Amino acid sequence: MDQLDRKIIAELRANGRATYADLGRTVGLSASSVHERVGKLEAAGVITGYHAMVDPNTVGLGVTALVGIHPTDTATDEDVAASLGELPEVESCYAVAGDEAFVVKVRVSTVDELELTLGRLRRIPGVGRTNTTVVLSTRFEGRPNNAGLDEDPASGA
């Protein structure tokens, strides 16, 4: 993967609906060259999909919480993660270092629904306890890290 591939990826992260011609104009390639590169990036598993970004508030999911999952001594991470994945309220699950085995992002409609979700989380076999942080506001989220795009890899900078 070279700098042109990275620039194509950055552009697709900003606008997944950009045409090959649009991408080509932005990165300085023909549409057919961009099409070929995007195909290779998809085949290599670098680009794993395209999706619509939705404002959670507009679809009734106005409460976001980050929940730390402390496992029991007998829990297996795989079993706990699989059970967490079965809850539709769990949007993301991160295995982390420290006292907690996982941190999950939960989105629900109300604080009452959050309370019910926390009860379901605590009843998962292998979950010893949870630690919840309610998000008051989101300053930014899902921001792509395009650091180094303007650097010349040959220069080592």
Side-chain angles (χ1 to χ4, degrees):
M1 187 165 56
D2 62 13
Q3 284 297 97
L4 285 173
D5 288 334
R6 292 179 190 283
K7 287 181 180 181
I8 291 168
I9 291 166
E11 291 300 318
L12 285 171
R13 288 174 119 179
N15 179 8
R17 296 178 66 161
T19 66
Y20 296 128
D22 292 337
L23 293 169
R25 278 190 292 279
T26 304
V27 301
L29 293 174
S30 68
S32 61
S33 292
V34 170
H35 182 255
E36 181 180 334
R37 283 176 174 262
V38 169
K40 287 179 181 178
L41 290 166
E42 290 170 346
V46 175
I47 297 174
T48 59
Y50 302 87
H51 66 278
M53 295 180 66
V54 177
D55 179 351
N57 292 313
T58 64
V59 294
L61 300 174
V63 177
T64 303
L66 303 174
V67 183
I69 307 293
H70 298 262
T72 62
D73 290 340
T74 59
T76 68
D77 286 353
E78 293 77 17
D79 290 342
V80 173
S83 295
L84 291 168
E86 292 175 9
L87 297 177
E89 306 93 332
V90 175
E91 183 177 290
S92 302
C93 177
Y94 306 98
V96 297
D99 292 337
E100 301 163 335
F102 300 100
V103 172
V104 296
K105 180 173 23 171
V106 172
R107 288 200 199 267
V108 292
S109 56
T110 65
V111 173
D112 290 338
E113 184 62 31
L114 176 59
E115 184 177 13
L116 294 171
T117 298
L118 292 173
R120 285 192 288 277
L121 286 170
R122 291 183 189 118
R123 286 191 295 278
I124 291 174
V127 173
R129 65 186 173 92
T130 62
N131 182 38
T132 304
T133 301
V134 175
V135 175
L136 298 177
S137 66
T138 302
R139 303 307 168 103
F140 59 86
E141 183 173 55
R143 181 176 69 159
N145 180 347
N146 294 322
L149 274 183
D150 296 327
E151 297 173 3
D152 179 8
S155 72

